[in-house]
Amino acid sequence: MSNIGIVEIFAVIVFFISFYGLITSKNIIKSIASIGIMEIAVIMFFLGIGFFDGMKPPIGPNLENVADPLPQALVITTIIIGITVCAVNLSMLITLCRQLKAADWDIVEKKSSE
């Protein structure tokens, strides 16, 4: 029997919905928001695969039925990378808006090819 829970399924659905939003969006701000939602979906997936009923933290002398700390470490790393990606995207958007006075992919492509 498969061990996939509702959290993992929900995370995959949210990931692909935001991926669709990233591909179809004409606005750069909406694209950045879609990337952020994709990162949240990855975090939800990592937390979902690391949780099982009855698990305890791996602290103390009794090490029976302890939770795996690897998904938690991956979540912390994902959060840090997500914050960095968002900050870089927003700084590039600010620079782009100052230079081209636009936040639309079509206008930016048209103005950059001139």
Side-chain angles (χ1 to χ4, degrees):
M1 185 76 181
S2 178
N3 202 12
I4 295 178
I6 190 73
V7 175
E8 292 93 345
I9 294 170
F10 184 71
V12 169
I13 290 170
V14 168
F15 181 85
F16 283 111
I17 289 172
S18 61
F19 184 71
Y20 175 76
L22 177 66
I23 291 174
T24 60
S25 177
K26 299 286 183 188
N27 192 335
I28 298 173
I29 297 172
K30 289 181 183 177
S31 297
I32 294 172
S34 295
I35 291 171
I37 294 171
M38 288 171 68
E39 293 165 355
I40 292 170
V42 170
I43 291 169
M44 282 180 10
F45 186 79
F46 282 149
L47 289 177
I49 61 172
F51 175 77
F52 298 104
D53 288 333
M55 294 293 219
K56 295 183 286 188
I59 300 171
N62 187 6
L63 295 178
E64 294 178 11
N65 202 19
V66 296
D68 185 15
L70 181 64
Q72 297 170 10
L74 291 174
V75 165
I76 292 171
T77 305
T78 306
I79 290 170
I80 292 169
I81 291 171
I83 291 170
T84 306
V85 167
C86 185
V88 169
N89 283 337
L90 290 174
S91 66
M92 288 174 25
L93 174 67
I94 290 170
T95 304
L96 186 70
C97 286
R98 285 182 182 166
Q99 289 179 354
L100 300 178
K101 306 283 192 265
D104 191 295
W105 287 114
D106 294 333
I107 295 171
V108 168
E109 183 181 6
K110 189 185 304 179
K111 286 186 177 184
S112 65
S113 64
E114 292 176 352

